[in-house]
Amino acid sequence: MPVFTVNVKWGKEIYKAVELSTDEPPEVFKAQLFTLTNVAPERQKVMLKGVVIKDDWGKAKLKNGVTILMMGSAAELPKEPAEKTVFLEDLSESQLVSAMDLSTGLQNLGNTCYMNSTVQLLKTVPELGDALKQFNGQALSNIETDVSGSITASLRDLYSQMEEKKYAEVPPLFLLHLLRKQCPQFAEKNNEGHFMQQDANECIMEVMRILQQNLKSTGKRKDFIDQFFGVDYSVTMKCKDEEAIEEAETKFPESSLQVNCFISQEVKYMMTGIKSKLCEEITKHSPSLGRDAKYQRESKISRLPSYLCIQMVRFFFKEKGNINAKILKDVKFPMTFDMYELCTPELQNKLSPMREKFLAEEERKNEEKAAIKLKGGDALANLKQEKKDVEYERYDFENDPGSSNSGYYELQGIVTHQGRSSSSGHYVAWIKKKGDDWLKCDDDTVSPVKGEDILKLSGGGDWHIAYVLLYGPRRLEIHQPAKTDSTTAETPISMETDTN
C-alpha cells in the first residue's frame, strides 16, 4: 500500500509527519486535514509543486518528506445545541441498524465473503423469502441423507434472524458447516491449513441447485428456482459446409438459471457480451459428412423469468501460475435492462401488450409533467410524492407465474469481486434499497451508497468489479385517475415505481 509521510503548510502553520495513502481518494486526505485545521474539505485548495489536487492524485509526484500547500479559511465553530446530540457511535448495534434502516451484516468466518455475498444477493428476492418461510424442514447438523433439506432450513432461519435486526451482524456458522458438508469444494484448504477463497458465482449456483430440491413450484414449472429464475431457449443449428446441402437445419430447446456475458476485446457493453454467444460459429461432428464441420448456432429466448441472473464471465484458466485469472476490462451495465431483442418472435408478441402499457404510462407521465410546469409547479417534486396503498400490474403471465410479461428489468443486486484471481481477492454484495439508495454489504459492515457508486463497478481497474448481477421485474403502477369536481382541476398522481 503506497503510504507517504508528508508535511502540510497552511498559512504560517506547518503540520509535520502527516500520513497520506494514494490507495484512498484525495477526499479522505482532505477529511484528515479538516481534523487538523478545521478547514472544511470543500473550502480547501490542496497543491503540490503547483499542481492542484482534485478528485484523484493524478500527476502529483509524492514522496516522503514533501511539503503540500493547503489554502482555505476555517469556518466558524458551531454553537453547542440546546439538546444533547445522540451520536451513532453511542447507539447499540440493534439501535444503529434500526436508525439507519440497514440490512444485517454477516461475519466473515475465514474467506467466506463468497457465501456472505451470495446470501445477501438472494435475499433481495421477496418470493424466495416467502417460499423459505413455508418450508417445514429442520436444520440438523448430524443428518447424512438430506443435507440439502437442512441447508434450506438453515438459510430460512438465517434470513429470519437477519430480519429481526437485533444485531448489526450475525455469524452464518451453521449454514457454512452444512454447505461445506454438501459441497466439499467449499471445504478446500491451503498448505497452511486455512480454508481457501471460493468462487461466489459457483456458490450462488450450488445454493440454487440445493433449493431446487426443496422448494416447490406454485405454477407448472419443475420447482421454485426454475419458476422464478429459469430461462428457456430455442436453439437452431445449421451446417455451413457447402457439401452438406441436404443436411437439415435442427432445432431443440435448452434452459438455464443464468445468462452469461462473455467478455472479449470488442465488448464494451453487457448486452454485446450476451449477444456474442447467442449467435456463434462452432465446430462439431456432421452426421451427413462423417467428419467435423462448422455450424451456425443461434439461440433465441423463448421464456423469460421474473428474476434475471447475469454472470460476467471474467475468469479464465491461466496455465502460468495455475490460476483462474481475471479479465479486468470495463464493461458497462445498465440500471434498467430490456431483453426484448433477444427473444423469439413468438415471445415478443406475448410481451407486446404489457410493453405498450409501459409506453402509455411514460407518455401519461410526460404529459403530466408538462401540465404541472405550465401551472408553475415543480414537476419532479410532484411526481416524487409518496403514495400509500400503491398497486401494481402483474409482472408475469397468468398461466406462467414467475415469468416476465414485459422483458423489462431493473437492477436490484450485484456481487462484485476485487482482486486478480477467483481463488483470492474479496467479494461484496451491493443491494438496492429504494430509488437511488443502495447498501454495500461488505461482510459484517453494511453502509449506504448511491446509484452513481453502483455504476462505477463496471471494471477497468483493481476496484470492485461487477461479477454477478441480479435484475428484478420492472413494476408498473396501476394508475387511478384523480377525482375531479366542477371547481378543481385533476390532481396529478405520482407514478414512481418501487422495485423492492
Side-chain angles (χ1 to χ4, degrees), residues 80-206:
E80 184 177 351
E83 296 183 9
K84 185 178 179 181
T85 303
V86 178
F87 295 97
L88 290 177
E89 55 265 31
D90 295 328
L91 298 176
S92 66
E93 288 185 343
S94 58
Q95 289 174 325
L96 183 64
V97 173
S98 177
M100 298 190 69
D101 194 20
L102 301 177
S103 294
T104 302
L106 298 169
Q107 290 181 17
N108 191 314
L109 304 173
N111 280 333
T112 58
C113 55
Y114 68 92
M115 185 191 72
N116 290 345
S117 57
T118 292
V119 170
Q120 295 283 13
L121 184 72
L122 294 179
K123 194 176 183 298
T124 65
V125 180
E127 294 86 350
L128 175 59
D130 293 339
L132 286 169
K133 288 175 184 177
Q134 295 173 15
F135 180 69
N136 295 322
Q138 291 185 320
L140 304 173
S141 61
N142 59 349
I143 194 166
E144 295 295 339
T145 57
D146 186 23
V147 182
S148 69
S150 286
I151 291 175
T152 304
S154 179
L155 184 62
R156 175 202 62 203
D157 297 344
L158 179 59
Y159 280 164
S160 177
Q161 191 177 5
M162 293 171 70
E163 287 171 2
E164 289 176 357
K165 294 187 177 182
K166 288 184 177 180
Y167 305 98
E169 61 187 70
V170 293
L173 283 165
F174 199 37
L175 177 63
L176 176 64
H177 165 73
L178 292 170
L179 196 60
R180 284 175 173 165
K181 193 171 186 177
Q182 178 77 358
C183 309
Q185 67 270 31
F186 297 146
E188 187 180 3
K189 295 183 179 181
N190 58 22
N191 294 333
E192 288 75 36
H194 301 134
F195 286 107
M196 295 177 62
Q197 180 67 281
Q198 301 296 330
D199 187 289
N201 186 64
E202 183 180 358
C203 184
I204 291 170
M205 298 311 296
E206 288 291 354

